Every structure is written in structure tokens, then in C-alpha cells.
Amino acid sequence: MNTLLCLAAAMALGLLLTRLAKKVNLPNVTAYLIAGLIVGPYCLNLFSENMLAGISELTSIALGFIAFSIGGEFKWESLKRVGVKALIITIFQAIAALAAVDVVLILCGFDLPLSLTLGAIATATAPAATLMVVRQYRAQGTMTNTLLSVVAMDDAIGLAAFAISLAMAQSLTSGAAPTVQNMLISPLLEIGLSLVVGAALGTVLSFLLRFFRSRANRLSLMIAAVFAGVALSDCWGLSALLTCMAIGAAMVNLRADSGALIENTDRWTPPLFMLFFIISGAELDLQVLTTVGLLGVLYLVARSLGKYFGAALGACVVKSEPKIRKYLGLTLLPQAGVAIGMAQVVIAKLPEYGEVIRAVVLCATLVYELVGPVITRVALSRAGEIPADALPERKKKASAH
């Protein structure tokens, strides 16, 4: 079947499933992943494996724009408002999730490269699912503010941890003797160079935007900058995720009209992100799922415990309110786009473990996106930050009276 026709059919199915997902309060990403599974080689087989390989560039481009969007959240004024407390909590919960997954998997006998990579992916949190719950239930308060700040910064820390862990895993699988150079200096150099290249591209982009006024031309420039970031990262062996994140961060800090520019990009990217999640779902090898049962369960449990107790410890260190210590960690479970993006990178960089890691991450995403928003709603409710009239059960009681 024609590739474009298959993509059109997959997008139509994805949109149809979002209607069904909305009825049971599930995020769109879950619907897109399921649509991908249905049209993939292991179900309807609309997408053959060769066809998926032919459109692999789409995933790289989508990853670039996901990272660009994350960078767009790092405006200096916003970071100053967030404060040191939220930053410390973010670092604690990310490191705790990474350490928990690493330790549990290593103790259970899994390969060190596999454990290190999954540990780094465990740091990522899905801001979209969290924001959806906050908006839907009109949550307000100190815990809600802390939560939004943490999820905004979490992925940047996760990307840095992922770059280091993946470089260490590559070194181990190559058979090279562990040294300070290949275990620490090289990963840090990759991170530094990725950020420098991205900042340079973002600066050039900000300068060129001065000469164009129309939305179309400005959008074209931003797309070109992300394309350049992905391409240069591939040529120079850098992290495309970090490079594109730095492009977005540099642009929003150098342009006074950055809000309108990001909004312009956000109007263009939803279909691209839809295709990214559909392709990710289609590429999932269902046969691998039968072999990752224990690994998947350990990943889910260890990451959840790491997020919860890491957030609680960070909140204790900065002397946050008791409700933040008790409930914040429960709101950090959702995981989606960035984690799936990391898994896609592993396919190319660490093929020995790529399929297994992607299967674990996609399964975890489905589980987290199913239960994560519900747990977040319950945690915000217990913290007293959801208005009584916004809760479904309260509405039913009120209508009964």
C-alpha cells in the first residue's frame, strides 16, 4: 500500500481513538500509541517493517521539536520565579528514580548497559498529562505551583542524565575498558558541545527573525533551525535532544516576542507529534512483550518508588509544606513523549538492547498514562487544591440533593 495513504489512515484512526479516549479521561498520547499498534506489522500490517524504516526520519524530526518545546519553557524570568526550592526537588526526584531503577535491575541480574539506560529514561516525566489534570479540575495552590515547576524542569535534567548514562552504556557494550575519559569526560563533553551548538543556532535564529515579520516566514525559520540542529547532531555525534532544547532556550531568552513565536510553532507540530506516537506504537514488537514481563514490572515499581520518595526527600530538604512532602511524588508518575523519544534514540545508539528497552518504555507509558492522571487527580484532591465543584463525585452528590 502507498506510504502516504497508510499515514493518512493511521492519523484518521488516531483521531477516532482520541474521541473514545476522552470518554474515559485518557490522554491523546495513549490513543495514538494504540492506533500505532493496530496499524503496525503485528496487527493489521498497514505499515510493513520496510515502510517504517523508510519514514524513520519523521521520528528524528519529531524528537527535535519535542526538545525544542521543552527548551521554550526555560525563560530566565520564569526560572527566577520558580525558585531554588522547586529546582532542588526536581533534582532529588530525578536522581532517586534513576538510582532506584539502576540498583533494582542490577541486583536482579540484568545487564549493566540495559540497567543504566532504563534508569536514565526513568527520570523523564510527561508534563502534558499533568497539565491536563490541573486544567481539567482547576487545581490551585502551593503544591500545584510546585508540581508545574518540577515537571517543567524535569525533562531537561532527564536529558542530561540520559546523555551520560547512554554514553556509559555504549562504552560498556563496545568492550572498551572503563576509564574516566569514556565514562565521564566524553559524556560531559557531548552534553557541553550539544548545548553550545544549540545555543549558537538559537542565537542565529533569534537574529534572523528580526528580518521577517510574517508568521509563515518565521515558522519556516524555526523549522529550519530544528532541522539544522538534528542534522548537525547526527553528523557530529551529539545529542539531538539537548541541541534542539538549547535552540528553544536561547530563542525564548533573546526574543521579547518569544511567546508568540512558540505559539506559532505549537500550531504546526501536533500532527507531527501524532505521527511520532503512531509510528512508535507501530514499531513495537509484540513478541518482545512476552520476554520483558519481569523487567517491565521492576521498572514500573522501582521508578514509581524513586519518584515518590525522591520528591518527598527533596521537599523535606527545602522544608516544604507537609502536603507537598506527602503527595507531590504521586503526581510525577505520568511518562510519555520524552521517554519514548529516548527509547527511539537507544534503537540507533544501542541496538543490542534497543528493542527490549523500547518495549519496556512503551508498555510503561500505556500503564502510566492509564493510571497516572487518576492518581494525580486523587493526590491534588487530598492536598485540598481542587475546588469541590470540580470533582465528579461531588457534582453527583450535589445533583442528588
Side-chain angles (χ1 to χ4, degrees):
M1 187 182 285
N2 181 277
T3 302
L4 291 178
L5 187 58
C6 289
L7 289 174
M11 292 179 75
L13 178 60
L15 288 171
L16 175 63
L17 291 180
T18 60
R19 299 297 90 193
L20 300 176
K22 183 171 287 187
K23 293 184 181 296
V24 289
N25 293 322
L26 291 178
N28 288 345
V29 62
T30 306
Y32 299 152
L33 289 171
I34 294 173
L37 283 170
I38 293 173
V39 301
Y42 302 97
C43 194
L44 295 181
N45 197 28
L46 291 183
F47 286 104
S48 65
E49 293 184 7
N50 289 336
M51 191 181 294
L52 288 171
I55 57 176
S56 60
E57 288 295 330
L58 273 176
T59 60
S60 299
I61 294 168
L63 284 173
F65 279 100
I66 288 173
F68 180 79
S69 299
I70 294 171
E73 300 292 329
F74 283 83
K75 199 162 187 177
W76 180 241
E77 288 80 2
S78 301
L79 292 177
K80 285 193 294 186
R81 264 199 319 272
V82 165
V84 178
K85 284 188 175 183
L87 176 60
I88 291 174
I89 293 174
T90 305
I91 293 172
F92 267 85
Q93 59 85 30
I95 292 177
L98 182 150
V101 172
D102 281 353
V103 170
V104 168
L105 295 187
I106 291 170
L107 289 178
C108 289
F110 290 97
D111 291 350
L112 186 55
L114 174 69
S115 303
L116 290 175
T117 307
L118 278 173
I121 293 174
T123 61
T125 301
T130 302
L131 186 60
M132 177 194 71
V133 174
V134 169
R135 288 179 176 174
Q136 181 177 351
Y137 296 102
R138 308 195 304 277
Q140 289 183 336
T142 53
M143 194 182 97
T144 300
N145 293 336
T146 302
L147 167 62
L148 294 176
S149 300
V150 169
V151 296
M153 294 184 288
D154 179 74
D155 285 333
I157 293 173
L159 289 175
F162 177 71
I164 294 174
S165 295
L166 183 59
M168 292 172 64
Q170 286 180 286
S171 175
L172 290 168
T173 54
S174 68
T179 64
V180 175
Q181 173 67 33
N182 58 29
M183 299 292 279
L184 186 61
I185 296 177
S186 292
L188 291 177
L189 188 61
E190 178 185 328
I191 291 173
L193 289 176
S194 299
L195 294 176
V196 168
V197 170
L201 287 171
T203 302
V204 172
L205 171 63
S206 300
F207 175 74
L208 292 177
L209 285 168
R210 297 169 56 187
F211 302 101
F212 298 91
R213 300 294 179 188
S214 72
R215 283 183 178 177
N217 286 338
R218 289 186 160 192
L219 177 60
S220 297
L221 269 177
M222 289 187 284
I223 292 173
V226 174
F227 280 11
V230 173
L232 290 176
S233 298
D234 185 52
C235 291
W236 295 341
L238 304 177
S239 168
L241 292 172
L242 288 176
T243 299
C244 293
M245 185 184 74
I247 294 173
M251 189 201 73
V252 296
N253 283 290
L254 293 173
R255 297 287 308 184
D257 57 349
S258 60
L261 292 170
I262 292 293
E263 183 181 350
N264 194 24
T265 309
D266 289 343
R267 291 175 179 173
W268 178 81
T269 52
L272 181 63
F273 291 167
M274 180 199 294
L275 283 172
F276 168 74
F277 290 120
I278 288 173
I279 293 170
S280 297
E283 290 179 333
L284 178 60
D285 185 348
L286 295 181
Q287 295 174 343
V288 176
L289 298 184
T290 60
T291 66
V292 297
L294 177 61
L295 178 61
V297 171
L298 291 175
Y299 174 83
L300 283 167
V301 173
R303 178 182 178 272
S304 301
L305 292 175
K307 286 284 183 182
Y308 179 80
F309 288 107
L313 180 58
C316 288
V317 169
V318 298
K319 296 182 171 60
S320 294
E321 298 175 43
K323 65 179 180 181
I324 295 178
R325 303 178 200 177
K326 189 173 181 180
Y327 297 114
L328 180 63
L330 296 173
T331 64
L332 298 174
L333 298 183
Q335 189 172 47
V338 174
I340 294 172
M342 291 176 177
Q344 289 292 123
V345 172
V346 175
I347 293 288
K349 300 276 189 179
L350 208 65
E352 301 92 329
Y353 301 100
E355 290 296 337
V356 172
I357 287 174
R358 180 167 60 186
V360 170
V361 171
L362 288 178
C363 290
T365 296
L366 289 172
V367 172
Y368 280 129
E369 292 298 281
L370 284 169
V371 304
V374 176
I375 295 175
T376 299
R377 190 202 76 181
V378 172
L380 289 170
S381 177
R382 294 282 178 86
E385 303 209 345
I386 295 181
D389 62 342
L391 292 169
E393 56 269 26
R394 299 285 178 86
K395 287 180 180 178
K396 289 179 181 178
K397 288 182 180 178
S399 61
H401 290 295

